[in-house]
Amino acid sequence: MRLVVVGGVAGGMSAAARARRLDEHAEIIVLERGEHPSFANCGLPYYVGGEIRQESKLLVQTPESLRAALDLDVRVRHDVTAVDPHARTLTATTPDGEITLGYDALVLAPGAAAVVPPIPGLADSLASGVVKTLRTVGDAIAMRAALPQARRAVVLGAGFIGLEAAEALRLQGLEVDVVELAEHVLPPLEREMASLVTDELVRLGISVHDGVAATALEDAAGEAAVEVVLDDGARLPADLVVLSVGVRPDTAPFEAAGVECERGAIVVDSRGRTNVPGIWAVGDATVSEDAVTGARRPVALAGPANRGGRLVADDILAPERARPMPRPVGTAIVRVGELTAAMTGANRAALESAGIAFETLHLHPGSHAGYFPGAEQIHLLVHLGTGGEHEGRLLGAQAVGADGVDKRIDVLATAIRHEAMAADLMDLDLAYAPPYGSAKDPVNLAGMMADNLAEGSLAVWQARDLDAVRGASLILDVRSPGEFASGHIPGALNVPHTQLRERMSEVRAAAAGRPVRVHCASGMRSYLAHRLLVAEGFDSANLSGGILTLEAWLGREAAEVLVTPEAAVPEAVR
Amino acid sequence: MRLVVVGGVAGGMSAAARARRLDEHAEIIVLERGEHPSFANCGLPYYVGGEIRQESKLLVQTPESLRAALDLDVRVRHDVTAVDPHARTLTATTPDGEITLGYDALVLAPGAAAVVPPIPGLADSLASGVVKTLRTVGDAIAMRAALPQARRAVVLGAGFIGLEAAEALRLQGLEVDVVELAEHVLPPLEREMASLVTDELVRLGISVHDGVAATALEDAAGEAAVEVVLDDGARLPADLVVLSVGVRPDTAPFEAAGVECERGAIVVDSRGRTNVPGIWAVGDATVSEDAVTGARRPVALAGPANRGGRLVADDILAPERARPMPRPVGTAIVRVGELTAAMTGANRAALESAGIAFETLHLHPGSHAGYFPGAEQIHLLVHLGTGGEHEGRLLGAQAVGADGVDKRIDVLATAIRHEAMAADLMDLDLAYAPPYGSAKDPVNLAGMMADNLAEGSLAVWQARDLDAVRGASLILDVRSPGEFASGHIPGALNVPHTQLRERMSEVRAAAAGRPVRVHCASGMRSYLAHRLLVAEGFDSANLSGGILTLEAWLGREAAEVLVTPEAAVPEAVR
């Protein structure tokens, strides 16, 4: 039995290592195109930024250590160029010329390569080394080596790796511009979450250019190596440009061999089998079906790749007891400065594109009990289904904050994996002591809000509906007068929630038959007000996430839309 | 409609607040025996220790704030002494004498009181104030006020609150002894987890007396207020004794009124209803059915009480849409010095007493990627079912470590709530970036080990079986020679896992037909060795958790059992 694995690192090395544990006598050969069969690819930005100091930390295993521990035959700088599935052979270019190798089972784990968009000047700058990617240990070493000569960097693409790279370069003292074609940084995040990340980037001293395209890389007028030209007219001088606009599956030789692909990504069944007998595939180069929406797409995440490698080895060597490959939930996380931003499950765009009806609930609880020092606010949202088979289901969640974000997203990811109803989140027995959480954990609170929504005691309106709401409804702001004065929605009536019972007639007069759309800072006090308004017969709804979410949704526009302190306070008392 | 709630704080206040949100017009009266209707009971030890500085932080709500926000009629220093369920009235002693109050619905949330064991001298010292409990804001203020006059403290009971109190007093500069009747501190934790906590207590300068009983409190010979006499002969002088040996439900007047109780705790159905029409109960005073074992017991935890209060209000005011009360999973957590210790689901004792067959898997992964700075080791165990309806089920988990413990226990608690199989843990898509986790998160690893066990590629032996194993098997230690020299099991053969293929004949000769019981430091390398041994035809099993778990299991005995450096290194080279 000879098993050949194409591609090391996450999925490939996991498959090879698991195969050895299942079969001591199999011949297991791993062909890796690069220099390193097993490296910490997610650590590369932190090596550039200097938090990981030694290059050796990035090298998880070497061919020698893999030979010693697992009797694996790992061959680096072996680039597979062709497969003959009928003869069960493959061809690879190697430092010693081309070789042909037979296999009984073949695992394709080629990963994905950086997308190089057709921007004039980009290819040349890539060749000259001014533009760099960050996919391999070699890339990271080259980028770190370029730092002493660089003063300004432009990062093209504000996805997870782009932001990690931007922060790393800033940490090394460079002036950094980030350019993102999409409306906001971290495009998979919702707008009201991403704007918190943008604020943090700005605080770190990074310039954010979102919703703009880079149209050319041109010779710089001054000392810089190049200028990145944007379609809003800006010209960003740079000594170093990081290209991080996305990845594409690296599958050309396999597609040519008859392996079925979908937009370049290998199609596999729930056991990792391709359409070609004897060939399996795993990792970034494969198409997966999303656990929530069922949509098919490549998922370039280390976790599913690592775990998928194991399942593929099981199916090859012990198919009778192999588990099916789980559909990815798509959990992702990134540290940006002092913040953590994370998401799991489907986002608004994915739900809309899948035609799934949903509602979004926002909350801003503390990371632990408010009476214990050090609690940080978590900005959390959950999407839940509002119709059909998805009615009440937890579909996705996102969070941003300085503490406790990873924990809540992991709990929510676990709930989504188990197809939980959103209201079921209130029943979770999460660990509570003052340094860790609250008796009603943020996740429990989200469940209670979902339960309120399901049983009808809560109705919400969303920040994105502000314009429509302003025209048709009375906006009732139940915060304190001091909070109201610090910034409020124009035309809003201010009645603190503790005075609402006594001042209901004021509300009735101001509403003049219109619906009442109530809010406070976060949505808690206004929920009490909402219950009272409903009891008084009003058509009422509560702003999801309150003015905190509204401000985050508006982002830079908040200063124009809201009545801010300067406008609110008479000049004489300023 | 008049709703009367007996007892504020967690369950009672949650019921009252939810009731108001569901019914603006109900009359809602809360009768609280103490001074404060809503206080941070879990914060009391931290107030004593000075981490929470202001008393005001402990007071979550006041009668005035509850009147203003929720129109609640909250009456403190009202102690309910009798209930007449036929007339639907209750009697209470108040500062203004006895009152009788009618109700339409009654919620009992009396909580639990400190157990006072029949130790000679204890009752007198409680009366004189030398012995204190820590259940109310008044208790915490009194304890903090006693600190300037106190030099030595003895804490009776090393449960969660006992250890929090011990650390608080140590933080305030006192000499602290902790006395625990059970075999080890934090009795709900397994021995191999609790011993890590004991080490941390010792590091904090706290003296631990476990497996001993306090037999008397006597007049002190020296300056101390009292001496605590232990049954091992020790006499512990103390200026302050904290009594924290447990709680009992505070239900006498209700049992007298015909409310069914089990060993003093109120029996409720899944809607929080007692056997008496018109009376519900919630919180520490009620009996719950354990989610894993089905055993019935009171669960004195803030989370279930808070959330149960809501469900009881739902059943009273909107029974048609009320959710059932979830069976508690029993998640608990405590900070001890720089460590966190946490548990969820059933422990060994609960599983044994329920007659559920199980196996335990131990692992010691990093809190995040090892190549990123700051990773801390997590000591994690999971119990999984090995027969009948529990076959493969995740039954419980415990963890101790300096970082990331709360997150993993919360994920595992979520999985237990969803009745996950242990092997399913490998399929969880948990958030991975280097500062937060690993591509194979500790929880995923536990799932893979469970899968290995289920499919037969892993067989384990346990630290507690050491004596039996030593007699009957070859113990094979596959760590490096340096690790072996630093401490090993007497009689073990040392063959590093990377040399095992070449040195198999040595193993065969040493085994001489006996089974091989293999281990390394944590169980990872020895799993590879185990696979190899099985392929070579040996009866092999891998020590769960490796020598790290063995040492923790042995605790203070480790120095006697293991061959330690002094014994291993010849005197000449010492």
Side-chain angles (χ1 to χ4, degrees):
Chain A
M1 165 72 182
R2 178 190 277 174
L3 169 65
V4 177
V5 177
V6 180
V9 200
M13 283 313 310
S14 291
R18 174 69 172 175
R20 172 58 71 228
R21 295 195 298 268
L22 293 179
D23 187 346
E24 174 59 21
H25 305 294
E27 183 184 8
I28 305 173
I29 301 171
V30 179
L31 305 178
E32 165 59 38
R33 177 167 33 194
E35 296 285 328
H36 304 291
S38 178
F39 66 94
N41 44 0
C42 300
L44 301 180
Y46 301 96
Y47 174 78
V48 172
E51 284 183 88
I52 297 175
R53 291 174 177 232
Q54 295 158 294
E55 182 190 324
S56 63
K57 289 269 186 193
L58 298 176
L59 302 175
V60 179
Q61 297 283 354
T62 62
E64 294 69 34
S65 70
L66 291 163
R67 166 71 76 182
L70 290 161
D71 194 21
L72 300 181
D73 178 357
V74 178
R75 307 180 189 179
V76 297
R77 287 182 281 170
H78 277 56
D79 190 10
V80 175
T81 52
V83 176
D84 180 341
H86 304 290
R88 296 211 176 189
T89 60
L90 55 77
T91 308
T93 57
T94 82
D96 305 318
E98 193 171 271
I99 61 161
T100 296
L101 204 62
Y103 65 83
D104 297 300
L106 179 63
V107 175
L108 305 178
V115 167
V116 181
I119 298 172
L122 182 59
D124 287 350
S125 296
L126 203 50
S128 76
V130 171
V131 176
K132 295 186 191 300
T133 58
L134 191 49
R135 303 281 303 162
T136 68
V137 174
D139 289 346
I141 291 170
M143 202 176 288
R144 193 146 129 176
L147 295 179
Q149 290 79 46
R151 208 166 66 78
R152 296 155 178 271
V154 172
V155 178
L156 296 178
F160 290 83
I161 296 169
L163 291 196
E164 287 171 342
E167 183 174 348
L169 295 171
R170 184 73 193 128
L171 217 55
Q172 294 282 20
L174 275 68
E175 289 178 38
V176 180
D177 289 273
V178 172
V179 179
E180 172 57 51
L181 183 62
E183 187 194 35
H184 55 70
V185 303
L186 292 177
L189 246 63
E190 310 305 0
R191 169 172 159 167
E192 64 270 40
M193 292 285 156
S195 87
L196 303 169
V197 174
T198 297
D199 290 348
E200 182 68 2
L201 290 167
V202 170
R203 196 189 66 78
L204 293 173
I206 294 170
S207 298
V208 177
H209 309 261
D210 49 16
V212 294
T215 55
L217 270 67
E218 296 182 355
D219 289 343
E223 291 173 7
V226 74
E227 273 183 355
V228 179
V229 184
L230 306 186
D231 69 357
D232 66 358
R235 300 179 68 90
L236 309 175
D239 307 306
L240 170 64
V241 177
V242 180
L243 179 62
S244 185
V245 299
V247 295
R248 54 162 182 73
D250 213 359
T251 54
F254 315 113
E255 194 163 8
V259 173
E260 186 191 346
C261 290
E262 203 173 281
R263 285 173 309 217
I266 301 169
V267 176
V268 290
D269 69 10
S270 67
R271 296 167 153 254
R273 297 177 185 177
T274 70
N275 62 312
V276 177
I279 304 184
W280 285 255
V282 66
D284 294 7
T286 63
V287 173
S288 304
E289 202 170 90
D290 184 85
V292 174
T293 65
R296 291 157 61 89
R297 60 187 165 102
V299 172
L301 289 170
N306 267 282
R307 292 175 273 121
R310 173 190 170 98
L311 297 176
V312 159
D314 285 355
D315 192 54
I316 293 170
L317 292 165
E320 71 290 351
R321 57 193 189 192
R323 297 165 59 86
M325 195 91 63
R327 305 199 304 174
V329 167
T331 311
I333 192 165
V334 63
R335 193 197 66 184
V336 179
E338 292 177 5
L339 289 185
T340 298
M343 58 178 293
T344 186
N347 62 11
R348 223 173 247 146
L351 293 169
E352 283 170 357
S353 122
I356 297 172
F358 67 100
E359 186 61 271
T360 305
L361 297 173
H362 301 80
L363 58 166
H364 310 273
S367 58
H368 61 243
Y371 59 79
F372 189 82
E376 300 277 354
Q377 197 165 41
I378 296 176
H379 305 280
L380 174 64
L381 69 78
V382 296
H383 298 305
L384 67 162
T386 52
E389 57 170 327
H390 295 98
E391 178 83 42
R393 275 271 301 282
L394 175 65
L395 302 172
Q398 304 191 351
V400 174
D403 183 43
V405 164
D406 56 333
K407 176 163 76 171
R408 274 56 182 221
I409 289 297
D410 276 359
V411 167
L412 291 159
T414 303
I416 291 175
R417 167 64 76 216
H418 287 95
E419 303 190 353
M421 304 294 280
D424 294 344
L425 298 174
M426 64 183 276
D427 291 340
L428 296 178
D429 277 346
L430 303 174
Y432 165 52
Y436 305 100
S438 297
K440 293 174 185 166
D441 189 86
V443 172
N444 296 137
L445 289 175
M448 290 177 184
M449 289 165 63
D451 186 49
N452 291 342
L453 195 71
E455 47 129 46
S457 76
L458 172 64
V460 294
W461 63 286
Q462 298 289 343
R464 64 171 161 181
D465 299 328
L466 178 63
D467 288 344
V469 165
R470 280 182 65 188
S473 310
L474 170 67
I475 292 182
L476 177 64
D477 184 334
V478 297
R479 295 176 299 162
S480 70
E483 291 172 276
F484 184 77
S486 76
H488 61 263
I489 300 170
L493 174 68
N494 180 225
V495 179
H497 78 297
T498 53
Q499 300 173 11
L500 190 55
R501 284 182 179 83
E502 292 71 46
R503 295 173 60 184
M504 196 57 82
S505 58
E506 269 179 68
V507 176
R508 202 174 299 279
R514 291 176 299 166
V516 178
R517 293 295 175 258
V518 64
H519 79 84
C520 63
S522 70
M524 302 288 275
R525 288 171 286 174
S526 53
Y527 173 58
L528 303 183
H530 167 72
R531 294 304 307 150
L532 194 49
L533 290 164
V534 169
E536 291 286 329
F538 285 97
D539 169 350
S540 167
N542 185 18
L543 174 59
S544 183
I547 206 130
L548 281 166
T549 293
L550 179 67
E551 282 175 341
W553 172 269
L554 293 171
R556 285 180 289 246
E557 295 166 38
E560 297 153 35
V561 173
L562 299 182
V563 180
T564 52
E566 286 77 27
V569 181
E571 201 164 340
V573 297
R574 262 185 221 164
Chain B
M1 164 71 182
R2 178 190 277 174
L3 169 65
V4 177
V5 177
V6 179
V9 200
M13 284 313 310
S14 291
R18 173 69 170 174
R20 172 59 71 228
R21 294 195 298 268
L22 293 179
D23 186 346
E24 174 60 20
H25 305 295
E27 184 184 5
I28 304 173
I29 301 172
V30 179
L31 304 179
E32 164 59 37
R33 178 169 31 195
E35 295 286 327
H36 304 290
S38 179
F39 67 93
N41 42 2
C42 300
L44 302 180
Y46 301 96
Y47 174 77
V48 172
E51 285 182 88
I52 297 174
R53 293 173 175 233
Q54 295 156 296
E55 182 189 323
S56 63
K57 289 269 185 192
L58 299 176
L59 303 174
V60 179
Q61 297 282 354
T62 63
E64 294 69 34
S65 70
L66 291 163
R67 167 72 75 184
L70 289 160
D71 195 20
L72 300 182
D73 178 356
V74 177
R75 307 180 189 178
V76 298
R77 287 183 279 171
H78 277 55
D79 190 11
V80 175
T81 53
V83 177
D84 180 342
H86 305 290
R88 297 212 175 189
T89 60
L90 55 79
T91 308
T93 58
T94 81
D96 305 319
E98 193 171 271
I99 61 160
T100 297
L101 204 63
Y103 65 82
D104 297 300
L106 178 63
V107 174
L108 304 178
V115 167
V116 181
I119 297 173
L122 182 58
D124 287 350
S125 296
L126 203 49
S128 76
V130 172
V131 176
K132 294 185 191 302
T133 58
L134 190 49
R135 303 282 302 163
T136 67
V137 174
D139 289 346
I141 291 170
M143 201 175 291
R144 193 146 129 177
L147 295 179
Q149 290 79 46
R151 206 167 65 78
R152 296 157 179 269
V154 171
V155 178
L156 296 178
F160 290 84
I161 296 169
L163 291 194
E164 287 171 343
E167 183 175 348
L169 296 171
R170 183 75 193 128
L171 216 56
Q172 294 282 20
L174 275 68
E175 289 177 39
V176 180
D177 289 273
V178 172
V179 179
E180 172 56 52
L181 184 61
E183 186 194 36
H184 55 71
V185 302
L186 292 178
L189 246 63
E190 311 305 1
R191 169 173 160 166
E192 64 269 40
M193 292 285 156
S195 88
L196 303 168
V197 174
T198 296
D199 290 348
E200 182 68 2
L201 290 167
V202 170
R203 196 189 67 78
L204 294 172
I206 294 170
S207 298
V208 177
H209 308 261
D210 49 17
V212 294
T215 54
L217 268 69
E218 298 182 355
D219 287 345
E223 290 174 8
V226 74
E227 272 183 355
V228 179
V229 184
L230 306 187
D231 68 358
D232 65 358
R235 299 179 69 89
L236 309 175
D239 308 307
L240 170 64
V241 177
V242 180
L243 180 61
S244 186
V245 299
V247 294
R248 54 164 183 70
D250 213 359
T251 55
F254 314 115
E255 195 164 7
V259 172
E260 186 192 347
C261 290
E262 203 173 279
R263 285 172 308 216
I266 301 170
V267 176
V268 291
D269 69 8
S270 67
R271 295 167 154 255
R273 296 177 186 178
T274 70
N275 63 312
V276 178
I279 304 185
W280 286 254
V282 66
D284 295 6
T286 62
V287 173
S288 303
E289 201 170 272
D290 183 86
V292 174
T293 65
R296 291 155 62 87
R297 59 185 166 104
V299 172
L301 289 170
N306 267 283
R307 292 175 273 120
R310 172 189 171 99
L311 298 176
V312 159
D314 285 356
D315 191 55
I316 294 170
L317 291 164
E320 71 291 349
R321 57 192 188 193
R323 298 166 59 86
M325 194 94 62
R327 305 198 306 173
V329 167
T331 310
I333 192 165
V334 63
R335 192 197 68 183
V336 180
E338 292 177 6
L339 289 185
T340 299
M343 57 178 294
T344 185
N347 63 11
R348 224 174 246 147
L351 293 168
E352 282 170 358
S353 122
I356 297 173
F358 67 99
E359 185 61 272
T360 306
L361 297 174
H362 301 79
L363 59 166
H364 310 273
S367 58
H368 62 242
Y371 59 80
F372 189 82
E376 299 277 355
Q377 197 165 40
I378 296 176
H379 304 281
L380 173 65
L381 69 78
V382 296
H383 298 305
L384 67 161
T386 52
E389 57 171 326
H390 295 98
E391 176 84 42
R393 276 271 302 282
L394 176 65
L395 302 173
Q398 303 191 352
V400 174
D403 184 42
V405 164
D406 56 334
K407 176 164 74 171
R408 274 56 182 221
I409 289 297
D410 276 359
V411 167
L412 290 159
T414 304
I416 291 175
R417 168 63 76 217
H418 286 97
E419 304 189 351
M421 304 295 279
D424 294 344
L425 298 173
M426 64 183 275
D427 291 339
L428 295 178
D429 278 345
L430 303 174
Y432 166 51
Y436 304 100
S438 297
K440 293 174 185 167
D441 189 86
V443 172
N444 296 137
L445 289 175
M448 290 176 185
M449 290 166 63
D451 186 49
N452 291 342
L453 195 70
E455 47 128 48
S457 74
L458 172 64
V460 293
W461 64 285
Q462 298 289 342
R464 63 170 163 183
D465 300 328
L466 178 63
D467 288 343
V469 165
R470 279 181 66 190
S473 309
L474 169 68
I475 293 183
L476 177 64
D477 184 334
V478 297
R479 295 176 299 162
S480 70
E483 290 172 277
F484 184 77
S486 75
H488 61 264
I489 300 170
L493 174 69
N494 179 224
V495 179
H497 78 298
T498 53
Q499 299 172 12
L500 190 56
R501 285 183 179 82
E502 290 73 44
R503 294 173 60 184
M504 195 56 82
S505 58
E506 268 179 69
V507 176
R508 203 174 297 278
R514 291 177 299 167
V516 178
R517 293 297 174 258
V518 64
H519 79 84
C520 64
S522 71
M524 302 288 276
R525 288 171 286 173
S526 53
Y527 173 57
L528 303 183
H530 167 72
R531 295 305 306 148
L532 194 49
L533 290 164
V534 169
E536 291 288 327
F538 286 97
D539 170 350
S540 166
N542 184 19
L543 175 60
S544 184
I547 206 130
L548 281 167
T549 293
L550 179 67
E551 284 176 341
W553 173 268
L554 293 171
R556 285 180 289 247
E557 295 166 38
E560 298 153 35
V561 174
L562 299 183
V563 180
T564 53
E566 286 77 29
V569 181
E571 201 164 341
V573 297
R574 261 186 221 163

